C-alpha cells in the first residue's frame, strides 16, 4: 500500500446498513475517521470500498459469522466475537455478508487512518528514506495491543463531549506505528494507490445517494460534491466501489427494498414506491435481476 499524498479521512456520517451510534467530528479527528455501528442481525451484501486509507473494523459486542470475498469471487468465512478485528488495505473493493449468533447486539467500530499519519509512522519505524509500505490483510484476528489503542479511541469518541486533540492524535499515531510494526506484508510489493476517492468524500457521496433513493438518479450533484468533473468522478467512484455511480445507486435501492420486505409488512407495491419505482413491473424486474427472485418470493423465503 503506497502511502502517497491523499486527503485524510474526515468525520462524516455514513449511511450504510445498521444504526450509526457515533461518528467523529471536529479538529481532534483530523487524522482519522471513526464510526460506531449497531449492525443488523443479517446482512446479505455490503460493499467495502477500496478507499486510499487503511480500514480497521473492530468488533465491540456480539458474535457473528462474517463472509468476505472480492467482487464476484469465492466467499471466505470467519467467526468473530468482541475484540476481533479486520484490517483491509486491498487495492480492490470487496463484499461482506454476515449472520449474527446469540442475542447480544452486534456492534462494530470502523477506523480509517489518514495517510499523513501512516506516512509519519513509516518514517518513524523505518527511517526517512522509507515512504512506502504494504500492510497485510487480516480477517477475524485478535490483538490485545491494537485493542488497547482502539478502546481508548472509542472512549474519546463516546465518553467525552469535548475529546482531547492531543489524546486523539497521539492514539492515532500510536495505532499507526503498531500497524507498521505488526502487520507489514513482506511478500507483497506496494501496489497502485487504493481506490479513487478518499473515505470522507466517499461517505459524503453515499449519504447523498441514500437520502435520495426515492428520487431519480442525478450524476451532476454527486460529481460537484466530490469536486470532480462528471467523467473523472465516474472513473474514481468505480475504482473505489467496483460499480458505476448509477449501478451502485440501484444496489442501494434493492438493498433497502430487501430490508423493507424482510422487516416490515408493507405491500410490495409500496416497497417499490419507497425506493423510487412508480411502476410495480419495473420494480419487480430490477429486483429479480439483482436478487434472483421476485419481491414476493423473496419475502416468502425471508
Amino acid at each position: 500500500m503506497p502511502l502517497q499524498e491523499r486527503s485524510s479521512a474526515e468525520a462524516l456520517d455514513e449511511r450504510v446498513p445498521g444504526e450509526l451510534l457515533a461518528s467523529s467530528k471536529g479538529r481532534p479527528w483530523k487524522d482519522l475517521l471513526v464510526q460506531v455501528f449497531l449492525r443488523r442481525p443479517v446482512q446479505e451484501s455490503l460493499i467495502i470500498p477500496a478507499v486510499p486509507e487503511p480500514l480497521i473494523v473492530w468488533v465491540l459486542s456480539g458474535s457473528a459469522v462474517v463472509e468476505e470475498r472480492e467482487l464476484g469471487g469465492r466467499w471466505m468465512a470467519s467467526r468473530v466475537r468482541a475484540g476481533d478485528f479486520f484490517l483491509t488495505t486491498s487495492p480492490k473493493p470487496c463484499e461482506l455478508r454476515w449472520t449474527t449468533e446469540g442475542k447480544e447486539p452486534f456492534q462494530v467500530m470502523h477506523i480509517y487512518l489518514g495517510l499523513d499519519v501512516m506516512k509519519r509512522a513509516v518514517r518513524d519505524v523505518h527511517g526517512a528514506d522509507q515512504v512506502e509500505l504494504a500492510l497485510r490483510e487480516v480477517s477475524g484476528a485478535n490483538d490485545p495491543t491494537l485493542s488497547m489503542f482502539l478502546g481508548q479511541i472509542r472512549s474519546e469518541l463516546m465518553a467525552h463531549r469535548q475529546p482531547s486533540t492531543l489524546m486523539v492524535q497521539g492514539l492515532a499515531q500510536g495505532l499507526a506505528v503498531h500497524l507498521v510494526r505488526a502487520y507489514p506484508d513482506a511478500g507483497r510489493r506496494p501496489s497502485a494507490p487504493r481506490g479513487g476517492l478518499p473515505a470522507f468524500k466517499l461517505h459524503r457521496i453515499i449519504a447523498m445517494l441514500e437520502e435520495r433513493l426515492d428520487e431519480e438518479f442525478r450524476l451532476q450533484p454527486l460529481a460537484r460534491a466530490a469536486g470532480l468533473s462528471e467523467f473523472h468522478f465516474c472513473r474514481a467512484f468505480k475504482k473505489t466501489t467496483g460499480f458505476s455511480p448509477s449501478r451502485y445507486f440501484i444496489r442501494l435501492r434493492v438493498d433497502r427494498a430487501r430490508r423493507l420486505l424482510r422487516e416490515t409488512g408493507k405491500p410490495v407495491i409500496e416497497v417499490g414506491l419507497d425506493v423510487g419505482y412508480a411502476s410495480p413491473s419495473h420494480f419487480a424486474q430490477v429486483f429479480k435481476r439483482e436478487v434472483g427472485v421476485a419481491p414476493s418470493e423473496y419475502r416468502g423465503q425471508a
Side-chain angles (χ1 to χ4, degrees), residues 244-276:
S244 68
S246 59
R247 187 78 173 79
Y248 193 88
F249 183 68
I250 291 172
R251 284 183 61 95
L252 290 176
R253 278 181 161 183
V254 171
D255 185 59
R256 178 174 291 180
R258 286 196 293 198
R259 299 200 304 270
L260 291 172
L261 290 168
R262 189 172 60 239
E263 299 172 6
T264 76
K266 287 186 175 184
V268 171
I269 292 177
E270 189 174 341
V271 170
L273 289 172
D274 284 350
V275 296

Side-chain angles (χ1 to χ4, degrees), residues 2 18 25 28 41 48-49 62 69 71 75 87-88 91 95 110 116 123 145 196 208 211-212 229 248 254 261 298:
K25 298 180 184 297
I48 300 298
R69 68 175 180 179
L71 296 181
W75 290 105
L87 172 62
T88 300
E95 186 176 8
H110 288 202
D116 285 342
R123 291 193 180 103
T145 300
M208 292 175 66
E211 289 166 357
R212 295 167 173 81
S229 69
Y248 193 88
V254 171
L261 290 168
Y298 176 84

Side-chain angles (χ1 to χ4, degrees), residues 51-260:
V51 297
E53 299 91 342
L55 166 64
I56 301 169
V57 179
W58 189 44
V59 180
L60 299 175
S61 68
S63 60
V65 175
V66 178
E67 296 179 274
E68 54 188 327
R69 68 175 180 179
E70 292 186 357
L71 296 181
R74 182 180 177 183
W75 290 105
M76 298 181 64
S78 303
R79 178 169 274 104
V80 299
R81 59 184 181 179
D84 292 341
F85 77 100
F86 295 79
L87 172 62
T88 300
T89 63
S90 171
K92 297 180 180 180
C94 65
E95 186 176 8
L96 289 186
R97 65 186 184 188
W98 63 80
T99 302
T100 60
E101 299 179 320
K103 296 182 179 180
E104 191 175 5
F106 188 44
Q107 293 188 28
V108 299
M109 186 167 76
H110 288 202
I111 304 95
Y112 292 91
L113 270 171
L115 297 188
D116 285 342
V117 75
M118 289 299 300
K119 285 192 291 186
R120 291 197 296 269
V122 171
R123 291 193 180 103
D124 180 67
V125 174
H126 295 288
D129 294 334
Q130 176 74 28
V131 296
E132 295 187 349
L133 176 75
L135 297 177
R136 58 189 172 92
E137 299 287 300
V138 181
S139 297
N142 192 285
D143 179 338
T145 300
L146 183 137
S147 292
M148 177 191 67
F149 282 112
L150 298 182
Q152 289 298 314
I153 290 171
R154 180 195 183 196
S155 177
E156 285 298 310
L157 178 66
M158 304 286 286
H160 299 281
R161 184 172 298 178
Q162 293 183 328
S164 164
T165 299
L166 280 177
M167 174 69 83
V168 171
Q169 292 181 1
L171 289 168
Q173 194 66 76
L175 177 59
V177 168
H178 179 65
L179 292 179
V180 170
R181 286 174 170 173
Y183 299 101
D185 189 346
R188 179 164 67 92
R189 296 180 59 187
S191 58
R194 298 181 67 226
L197 292 173
F200 79 97
K201 284 190 176 183
L202 179 66
H203 296 161
R204 179 184 299 162
I205 299 305
I206 290 176
M208 292 175 66
L209 290 172
E210 284 279 359
E211 289 166 357
R212 295 167 173 81
L213 290 184
D214 59 344
E215 302 176 11
E216 191 174 316
F217 175 80
R218 295 175 60 214
L219 179 62
Q220 186 179 38
L222 305 176
R224 189 185 306 120
L228 299 170
S229 69
E230 292 183 13
F231 172 79
H232 286 98
F233 170 70
C234 288
R235 186 168 64 176
F237 189 92
K238 186 168 185 179
K239 184 177 181 183
T240 306
T241 67
F243 297 91
S244 68
S246 59
R247 187 78 173 79
Y248 193 88
F249 183 68
I250 291 172
R251 284 183 61 95
L252 290 176
R253 278 181 161 183
V254 171
D255 185 59
R256 178 174 291 180
R258 286 196 293 198
R259 299 200 304 270
L260 291 172

